Amino acid sequence: MVVDDTSYEPGPGPTTKRRRVTLPLRDAARSGVRRLPVRSVVSWVRSTPGTHIWLLILAVNSGILAVVSPTARSFLLHHNSTNLMELSTHPVRVLVLSALWIESPSGFAIYFAFYELVHAPAERRLGTARWLVVVAVAHIGATLISQRAVLMGIRDNRLPRSLAHTVDIGVSYGLAGVVGVLTYLLPRRPWPLRWLYAAAALGFFGYPLLSGDRTFTDLGHFSAVLIGFACYALTPAARQADAQGPRRSRPRRWRP
């Protein structure tokens, strides 16, 4: 609705007509809301439902850890941990639930950024189902590899037996696996981009293994990123190559 306020001002010359147009407050507010990137945010969340449902669960569980007593917090972390003791008694339960908690609630903001920068783009490109397969394979594979190393270290008296009850919880193995598979989702040009990214990922996760104070989680992270590299078959490039089939070479003419 537009309100016209027309007035006439006397003067020595011809009569001057001045029009003032007023925009109602409701229309102005509606115009301002339209400029906000609300639709973009909603579209982003809808296109990556797995990432944001996972983030919501992590937010709730982190809030629980922040308000319960230290005794209850220790119980929850150990009860959902993928250590040797829990894996030997409740393997399926802890392999699933350990990916829904983070050890320090204060680290949720950092993981929120990583999820938006790593998980969400990968889910958007791979699709929710294939992205979830990468996360699950990396999480389970890295957990079993690292805990197998702990078991062998305890048997050989190289590691303390208390590691069988340690807290091994969190989402970092799945995140490292997605970091690996993102190599194939980067643009092919400029051509060194993928190689530089892969080298940086290997260096970041592999360097702790070369230090003297390496832990079984360092081995798990490195194993997870290698598993992510091995998930090429789930990428759009691999599916496109399979759809096209093998290229046929043109027969050459016989020349004497």
Side-chain angles (χ1 to χ4, degrees):
M1 178 179 180
V2 179
V3 178
D4 293 342
D5 183 9
T6 305
S7 60
Y8 297 92
E9 295 182 358
T15 304
T16 303
K17 182 179 182 181
R18 184 178 61 186
R19 171 171 292 182
R20 184 179 61 192
V21 180
T22 305
L23 185 67
L25 294 178
R26 185 191 308 175
D27 294 345
R30 186 179 304 173
S31 177
V33 171
R34 289 176 180 176
R35 296 178 182 178
L36 296 177
V38 176
R39 293 183 179 179
S40 300
V41 173
V42 172
S43 176
W44 177 256
V45 173
R46 285 183 176 178
S47 64
T48 55
T51 297
H52 292 92
I53 292 174
W54 196 0
L55 269 176
L56 179 61
I57 296 174
L58 288 179
V60 172
N61 290 342
S62 298
I64 293 174
L65 292 179
V67 299
V68 298
S69 64
T71 303
R73 178 180 176 183
S74 177
F75 171 79
L76 288 173
L77 292 179
H78 283 85
H79 186 67
N80 297 302
S81 180
T82 50
N83 53 40
L84 290 176
M85 183 60 64
E86 294 294 335
L87 282 173
S88 62
T89 55
H90 309 286
V92 177
R93 177 178 62 81
V94 295
L95 282 172
V96 174
L97 295 182
S98 63
L100 304 179
W101 300 80
I102 56 177
E103 188 172 356
S104 176
S106 60
F108 175 77
I110 298 177
Y111 279 109
F112 178 86
F114 283 145
Y115 270 55
E116 296 295 341
L117 295 175
V118 178
H119 277 306
E123 182 183 1
R124 192 180 180 93
R125 292 289 305 279
L126 295 174
T128 301
R130 291 182 175 86
W131 163 80
L132 189 58
V133 170
V134 175
V135 171
V137 172
H139 172 70
I140 296 173
T143 298
L144 297 180
I145 291 173
S146 60
Q147 289 302 316
R148 179 66 179 178
V150 172
L151 177 61
M152 296 176 62
I154 293 176
R155 287 180 177 178
D156 298 338
N157 295 321
R158 292 182 289 104
L159 295 176
R161 294 186 176 274
S162 60
L163 284 181
H165 304 271
T166 190
V167 174
D168 183 19
I169 202 169
V171 299
S172 57
Y173 290 165
L175 183 65
V178 175
V179 168
V181 80
L182 271 178
T183 303
Y184 310 112
L185 305 181
L186 295 176
R188 294 185 176 182
R189 296 181 181 181
W191 68 266
L193 180 61
R194 289 186 175 182
W195 294 101
L196 293 176
Y197 175 85
L202 287 174
F204 180 81
F205 291 106
Y207 177 77
L209 292 176
L210 303 177
S211 60
D213 56 347
R214 57 183 177 272
T215 64
F216 69 91
T217 56
D218 296 328
L219 175 62
H221 291 145
F222 188 72
S223 302
V225 75
L226 293 181
I227 293 173
F229 287 140
C231 291
Y232 171 75
L234 298 174
T235 61
R239 299 199 303 271
Q240 184 178 2
D242 292 340
Q244 293 177 352
R247 296 182 179 179
R248 297 181 179 180
S249 58
R250 298 178 61 184
R252 296 181 180 180
R253 294 183 180 180
W254 180 82
R255 293 181 180 179

